[in-house]
Amino acid sequence: MSTIAPFQALRPDPQFASQIASKPYDVLNSHEAREEAADNPYSFLHVTKSEIDLPPNIDIHSQEVYNKAKENLQSFIEKGLLLEEDNPCYYIYRLVMNGRSQTGLVCCSSVDDYEKGIIKKHELTRPDKEADRIHHMQTIRAQTGNVFLAYNSVGAIDDVIEGWKRDHAPVYDFVAGDGIGHTVWVVDDKGTIAAITSLFATEVPFTYIADGHHRAASAAKVRKALGKEASGAADYFLTTLFPSDQLQIMDYNRLVHDLNGSSVEEFTDLLQKEFFVGKVEKAFQPQRLHEFGLYVDGGWYKLVAKEGTFSTDPIGILDVTILQKNILDKLLAIKDPRTDKRIDFVGGIRGLQELERRVDSGEMKAAFSLYPVSIQQLFDIADSGEVMPPKSTWFEPKLRDGLLTHLI
């Protein structure tokens, strides 16, 4: 069963919350982060992407960058922008995007649960990304990045959370510049905290990492690295738990630099061995499993996988697997999408227009649009112990960094 704990969050003075709250560090590159924070000295990007306060040619993985993050975090605390909670609390975090809302519980989850597989994974991690978060956490002694966990919905938990939202005023409530609403409630009643802890311990056998595999893996390795220096806080890591029935996964699309020596006509001919291929008049967003869009030379094609191109096991049935096996690997010789420089990935939040833009600019040769993975597919794969192909899921809306930080 799931072990969670309340914590004393480092969080903004309410008057500064909307200015401090920033997009997650891993959805922006350094240039985008500089632009995002250019006119906002309170942006938490000064902590999570601290290279923006150093020369543009800085190595973003240098110790100087991590030291700057620590300096900036301490400055925020000294100026009273960030305050530490007096007592351990839970936090309720509601996100609203395009009229759809989802509400999660911000808490600390057990590193032991992660290592024992009670917190289930579905992706491999990259050592370079782990190393970055490990150095960041160790230097600033805080977890700033939230791990997004999902669990099978439990009515009793929903009732407690909805009751608290109904009966208490939020501490933060604002709409960010991208139109996404962020509302946070502090759960500071000891009885309610105990009830929530007990419900997860008795009613939630497993949680599933939806987004944040690198942050979770890094937290476990930081605890080990700290050894005797580790406080009890290092036994836990910052998470937000969402019931599965409130979540939506968006498509995660692919772009390729070339067609592996084939012309467009040759490539579409090759596709017809494994797919039904037809030209369409406008951007094609797949509406069901095993449909794909292809954008190349200014035009869109609809692809439908033929029988025999996929299996019924949890991994084989995924459209990302079908694409990888039958097109990227077989036709384009892209064997490992985690390391091959000829492929790139675009989250569905950016729209099909972003695929068209990057192909039309000449930066990429072709793009593929996919039907999104479902929550149940994610759970099935994690339960089977299998690993999804990289960049299979894109969750929106995303939690903001800086609203709730876990000190270790």
Side-chain angles (χ1 to χ4, degrees):
M1 291 297 183
S2 299
T3 303
I4 65 170
F7 68 108
Q8 292 171 252
L10 182 69
R11 60 183 183 84
D13 181 311
Q15 65 181 310
F16 302 116
S18 63
Q19 295 165 276
I20 290 173
S22 70
K23 292 177 182 177
Y25 76 94
D26 55 352
V27 303
L28 300 168
N29 61 34
S30 297
H31 174 72
E32 291 168 333
R34 286 178 191 274
E35 289 191 336
E36 186 94 5
D39 300 319
N40 183 7
Y42 297 159
S43 171
F44 206 66
L45 289 170
H46 294 286
V47 176
T48 57
K49 299 284 288 184
S50 52
E51 68 268 20
I52 67 177
D53 295 322
L54 296 167
N57 61 350
I58 190 79
D59 176 0
I60 64 171
H61 298 127
S62 67
Q63 188 59 44
E64 186 178 356
V65 171
Y66 303 118
N67 290 342
K68 188 64 176 177
K70 180 178 181 179
E71 176 188 324
N72 288 345
L73 181 62
Q74 290 302 314
S75 176
F76 277 29
I77 294 170
E78 290 167 4
K79 291 176 180 177
L81 302 175
L82 295 174
L83 308 168
E84 186 176 2
E85 202 79 62
D86 291 333
N87 298 294
C89 297
Y90 285 130
Y91 303 86
I92 296 169
Y93 193 151
R94 183 181 66 197
L95 294 154
V96 180
M97 184 177 78
N98 298 330
R100 188 182 68 82
S101 71
Q102 61 189 59
T103 300
L105 180 77
V106 187
C107 62
C108 281
S109 291
S110 167
V111 171
D112 287 342
D113 277 6
Y114 174 79
E115 293 179 338
K116 293 175 182 176
I118 294 171
I119 297 172
K120 296 197 174 190
K121 305 174 279 291
H122 68 264
E123 286 184 5
L124 296 174
T125 56
R126 286 172 43 183
D128 58 333
K129 288 193 170 185
E130 278 190 28
D132 172 58
R133 284 304 95 185
I134 289 168
H135 292 145
H136 192 268
M137 287 184 206
Q138 284 184 302
T139 301
I140 73 171
R141 298 302 287 264
Q143 296 161 353
T144 59
N146 213 306
V147 178
F148 182 161
L149 299 181
Y151 63 94
N152 281 306
S153 308
V154 177
I157 295 174
D158 293 344
D159 290 345
V160 172
I161 289 175
E162 291 304 313
W164 190 272
K165 286 165 57 181
R166 181 185 63 245
D167 297 336
H168 298 82
V171 66
Y172 309 131
D173 189 11
F174 62 91
V175 176
D178 56 6
I180 296 174
H182 301 263
T183 311
V184 176
W185 290 261
V186 179
V187 181
D188 53 4
D189 173 70
K190 290 182 179 180
T192 305
I193 290 171
I196 291 171
T197 305
S198 177
L199 282 167
F200 275 91
T202 58
E203 302 295 331
V204 181
F206 302 103
T207 59
Y208 300 80
I209 299 178
D211 192 10
H213 283 80
H214 290 92
R215 296 188 285 277
S218 300
K221 290 182 178 178
V222 165
R223 178 177 73 162
K224 183 176 180 180
L226 290 175
K228 293 181 180 179
E229 293 182 33
S231 67
D235 291 328
Y236 293 84
F237 61 104
L238 182 64
T239 59
T240 300
L241 285 70
F242 286 96
S244 58
D245 60 1
Q246 294 187 29
L247 298 179
Q248 180 182 37
I249 303 177
M250 298 187 75
D251 45 306
Y252 213 149
N253 302 313
R254 273 76 170 134
L255 294 136
V256 294
H257 279 281
D258 60 76
L259 298 181
N260 197 31
S262 296
S263 67
V264 171
E265 184 176 342
E266 291 169 336
F267 182 63
T268 53
D269 284 344
L270 289 170
L271 285 173
Q272 293 183 54
K273 295 179 180 179
E274 310 288 358
F275 298 85
F276 298 103
V277 180
K279 196 82 183 285
V280 292
E281 294 299 318
K282 59 182 180 179
F284 182 67
Q285 180 71 64
Q287 297 301 304
R288 56 187 58 85
L289 280 173
H290 310 334
E291 287 186 351
F292 305 83
L294 164 66
Y295 183 70
V296 62
D297 271 8
W300 280 92
Y301 296 79
K302 175 183 176 180
L303 315 180
V304 180
K306 295 180 180 179
E307 291 292 331
T309 59
F310 54 89
S311 62
T312 56
D313 66 86
I315 294 293
I317 201 169
L318 294 177
D319 284 347
V320 288
T321 303
I322 296 169
L323 179 69
Q324 176 60 39
K325 175 184 174 183
N326 297 285
I327 299 179
L328 300 180
D329 185 348
K330 186 175 182 179
L331 302 184
L332 300 181
I334 296 173
K335 305 295 183 183
D336 186 353
R338 291 199 306 149
T339 59
D340 199 307
K341 302 300 183 184
R342 296 167 55 222
I343 188 170
D344 201 3
F345 308 88
V346 175
I349 190 67
R350 293 180 179 263
L352 299 185
Q353 297 81 5
E354 177 67 7
L355 302 182
E356 294 177 343
R357 183 190 70 78
R358 293 185 64 182
V359 172
D360 291 344
S361 71
E363 176 193 359
M364 310 298 277
K365 179 61 178 178
F368 298 91
S369 58
L370 287 85
Y371 187 72
V373 172
S374 72
I375 288 289
Q376 190 57 55
Q377 285 179 315
L378 185 155
F379 284 5
D380 289 346
I381 290 166
D383 286 339
S384 72
E386 297 286 348
V387 176
M388 275 190 181
K391 308 294 185 182
S392 295
T393 58
W394 182 279
F395 284 87
E396 286 287 347
K398 294 188 180 295
L399 303 158
R400 290 266 161 158
D401 286 346
L403 289 178
L404 299 162
T405 294
H406 178 224
L407 299 174
I408 58 171

